[in-house]
């Protein structure tokens, strides 16, 4: 995958991000002179909507002429991304999808864009945790998809620099053949979980790991104003010999190398395909929720394809594919009202916590700074 204590009732569609996090109306990357609609020589790098191409068909034509789309950090087993990528390839066979570094962090996506700036290998698009998105708005090009009005204001930067797309709740996944279900956070400190508990990444770089510390904070009666209780919990977990310092992957779940994992509920749920004994718990009490955000690289080598990809991701079809992957899509409420949501998949989602917190921009920034200063020493 960084955010005063904000509690929100969460319904069918999670209302995430915050007004503070989205008050970025003058962020770098916005353009004052979008290309004129209908111009065959439109500069795709400045297009802020389909209207700048003239029609959707003209956007498609421009993307096909480019012939490629560079994506990064999209594991095919993450929120059903495999099916999403395959559907795009099926619908647009003239566009080659180049999938780079599927397992890197949000921060590493930005690093890749900087390293490859000006090259055909640079990422065209990003999928980012909110903390990293907020820190790198000058890296993004503003764009509003045709379904923009369906996306809750709380989930989108006002000019379209970055937009929430799919989300869920921080959870614990565990191998039920080896462990009983933890009823509360403190259970994980017991000797029963010796050398067994992992988090998905480094919380100074990865959104899921950052959220794990956030969950530990609020489950330890702390607030998102100060992540220290969460850091202290993981320090205790380390001292107890229970923290497992292994990067979590599908393979480590399947092999049993990481038998207890902090991760988003939809990612943990996906591992039942690899381990029939794998189960998922969202703790009672205060829950921690989050969305991942889509953004276009301001220096995208294939700017039209990048914009076509955004249109695709926010279509009814792909929003239902996120749902199929166990995640809650950004347009869920609007699609439910319109009758275009897959009702069976929606009904299959796990029950949401009654009380949920989401960090503000200030909280995220402060938490990121604190983690940078304290995390390594706490878990060494």
């Amino acid at each position: 995958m960084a955010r005063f204590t904000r509690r929100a009732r969460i319904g069918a569609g999670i209302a995430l991000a915050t007004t503070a996090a989205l008050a970025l109306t003058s962020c770098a990357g916005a353009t004052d002179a979008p290309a004129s609609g209908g111009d065959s020589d439109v500069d795709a790098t400045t297009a802020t909507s389909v209207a700048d191409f003239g029609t959707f068909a003209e956007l498609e034509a421009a993307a096909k002429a480019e012939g490629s789309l560079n994506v990064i950090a999209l594991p095919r087993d993450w929120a059903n991304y495999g099916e999403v990528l395959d559907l795009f390839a099926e619908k647009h066979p003239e566009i080659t999808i180049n999938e780079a570094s599927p397992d890197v962090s949000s921060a590493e996506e930005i690093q890749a864009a900087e390293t490859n700036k000006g090259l055909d290998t640079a990422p065209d698009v990003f999928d980012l945790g909110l903390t990293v998105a907020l820190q790198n708005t000058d890296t993004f090009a503003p764009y509003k998809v045709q379904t923009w009005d369906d996306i809750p204001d709380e989930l989108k930067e006002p000019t379209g620099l970055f937009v929430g797309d799919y989300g869920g709740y921080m959870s614990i996944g565990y191998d039920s053949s080896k462990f009983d279900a933890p009823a509360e956070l403190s259970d994980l400190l017991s000797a029963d979980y010796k050398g067994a508990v992992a988090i998905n990444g480094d919380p100074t770089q990865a959104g899921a790991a950052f959220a794990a510390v956030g969950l530990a904070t609020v489950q330890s009666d702390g607030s998102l104003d100060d992540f220290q209780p969460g850091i202290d919990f993981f320090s205790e977990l380390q001292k107890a010999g229970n923290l497992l310092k292994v990067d979590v992957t599908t393979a480590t779940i399947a092999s049993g190398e990481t038998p207890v994992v902090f991760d988003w509920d939809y990612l943990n749920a996906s591992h039942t395909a690899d381990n029939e004994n794998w189960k998922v718990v969202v703790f009672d009490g205060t829950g921690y929720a989050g969305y991942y955000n889509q953004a276009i690289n301001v220096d995208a080598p294939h700017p039209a394809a990048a914009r076509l990809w955004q249109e695709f991701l926010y279509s009814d079809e792909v929003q239902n594919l996120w749902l199929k992957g166990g995640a809650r899509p950004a347009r869920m409420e609007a699609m439910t009202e319109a009758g275009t949501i897959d009702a069976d998949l929606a009904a299959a989602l796990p029950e949401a916590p009654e009380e949920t917190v989401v960090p503000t921009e200030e909280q995220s920034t402060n938490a990121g700074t604190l983690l940078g200063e304290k995390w390594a020493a706490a878990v060494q």
Side-chain angles (χ1 to χ4, degrees), residues 210-289:
F210 179 97
V213 182
L215 176 65
T217 294
V218 297
Q219 286 281 319
S220 300
D221 297 324
S223 85
L224 297 186
D225 290 324
D226 182 5
F227 268 41
Q228 189 62 53
I231 296 173
D232 291 343
F233 168 78
F234 281 102
S235 181
E236 287 184 61
L237 200 67
Q238 167 69 11
K239 291 174 182 175
N242 293 8
L243 183 61
L244 185 58
K245 297 178 182 178
V246 174
D247 287 339
V248 178
T249 66
T250 298
T252 65
I253 299 289
S255 69
E257 188 178 3
T258 53
V260 182
V261 174
F262 279 83
D263 211 342
W264 298 112
D265 57 351
Y266 53 91
L267 299 184
N268 264 326
S270 71
H271 295 308
T272 56
D274 311 299
N275 182 341
E276 63 181 9
N277 298 308
W278 194 257
K279 295 188 178 181
V280 184
V281 170
V282 176
F283 289 136
D284 291 337
T286 303
Y288 185 106

Side-chain angles (χ1 to χ4, degrees), residues 316-341:
D316 286 355
E317 197 166 12
V318 177
Q319 292 284 288
N320 275 319
L321 288 182
W322 298 137
L323 198 57
K324 186 176 179 181
R328 291 161 171 82
R331 294 181 53 234
M332 189 167 182
E333 184 175 355
M335 289 174 62
T336 299
E337 292 176 358
T340 57
I341 201 76

Side-chain angles (χ1 to χ4, degrees), residues 2 40 46 51 58 68 77 84-85 91 104 140 160-161 169 182 193 210 227 234 339 352-354 356 365 370-371:
S40 60
T46 65
E58 288 173 290
S68 293
D77 58 354
V84 171
L85 288 161
K91 286 180 171 291
V104 301
F140 312 144
L161 284 173
Y169 299 93
Y193 295 91
F210 179 97
F227 268 41
F234 281 102
E354 185 174 341
T356 300
T365 300
L370 184 67
L371 283 163

Side-chain angles (χ1 to χ4, degrees), residues 74-379:
L74 305 184
R76 297 181 69 86
D77 58 354
W78 177 288
N80 204 26
Y81 251 123
E83 195 167 349
V84 171
L85 288 161
D86 291 344
L87 181 61
F88 185 86
E90 178 185 329
K91 286 180 171 291
H92 306 289
E94 305 89 347
I95 302 173
T96 300
I97 304 177
N98 304 306
E99 300 177 46
S101 306
D103 295 319
V104 301
S105 67
S106 293
E108 288 170 316
E109 293 182 57
I110 302 299
Q111 292 168 10
E114 294 172 349
T115 300
N116 293 280
K117 185 175 181 178
L119 303 178
D120 287 343
T121 53
D124 288 306
V125 290
F126 304 110
D127 179 295
L128 304 162
L130 181 59
T131 305
V132 173
L134 288 166
Q135 293 169 345
N136 293 280
T137 53
D138 58 345
T139 308
F140 312 144
Y143 187 79
K144 296 183 179 182
V145 294
Q146 294 179 97
T147 53
W148 175 263
D149 289 344
D150 285 353
I151 303 168
D153 290 344
E154 295 85 359
L155 290 183
K156 58 194 181 188
E157 189 281 324
T159 69
L161 284 173
F162 61 88
V163 186
D165 194 9
Y166 60 90
Y169 299 93
M170 187 49 49
S171 68
I172 306 297
Y174 68 99
D175 187 331
S176 64
S177 69
K178 300 177 181 178
F179 302 94
D180 291 332
E184 56 187 25
L185 185 73
S186 60
D187 288 348
L188 298 174
L189 296 171
S190 76
D192 294 340
Y193 295 91
K194 182 74 70 175
V197 184
I199 59 175
N200 191 352
D202 179 337
T204 66
Q205 298 187 39
F210 179 97
V213 182
L215 176 65
T217 294
V218 297
Q219 286 281 319
S220 300
D221 297 324
S223 85
L224 297 186
D225 290 324
D226 182 5
F227 268 41
Q228 189 62 53
I231 296 173
D232 291 343
F233 168 78
F234 281 102
S235 181
E236 287 184 61
L237 200 67
Q238 167 69 11
K239 291 174 182 175
N242 293 8
L243 183 61
L244 185 58
K245 297 178 182 178
V246 174
D247 287 339
V248 178
T249 66
T250 298
T252 65
I253 299 289
S255 69
E257 188 178 3
T258 53
V260 182
V261 174
F262 279 83
D263 211 342
W264 298 112
D265 57 351
Y266 53 91
L267 299 184
N268 264 326
S270 71
H271 295 308
T272 56
D274 311 299
N275 182 341
E276 63 181 9
N277 298 308
W278 194 257
K279 295 188 178 181
V280 184
V281 170
V282 176
F283 289 136
D284 291 337
T286 303
Y288 185 106
Y291 265 78
Y292 279 84
N293 299 271
Q294 305 293 345
I296 297 171
N297 184 357
V298 70
D299 296 310
H302 311 104
R307 286 153 175 81
L308 182 63
W309 174 251
Q310 302 302 305
E311 296 287 355
F312 172 73
L313 293 180
Y314 290 92
S315 66
D316 286 355
E317 197 166 12
V318 177
Q319 292 284 288
N320 275 319
L321 288 182
W322 298 137
L323 198 57
K324 186 176 179 181
R328 291 161 171 82
R331 294 181 53 234
M332 189 167 182
E333 184 175 355
M335 289 174 62
T336 299
E337 292 176 358
T340 57
I341 201 76
D342 187 314
D344 291 337
L345 291 175
L349 289 172
E351 185 176 351
E354 185 174 341
E355 295 288 341
T356 300
V357 293
V358 182
T360 64
E361 177 184 359
E362 181 180 3
Q363 288 173 329
S364 286
T365 300
N366 292 341
T369 299
L370 184 67
L371 283 163
E373 295 171 349
K374 301 286 188 70
W375 179 256
V379 299

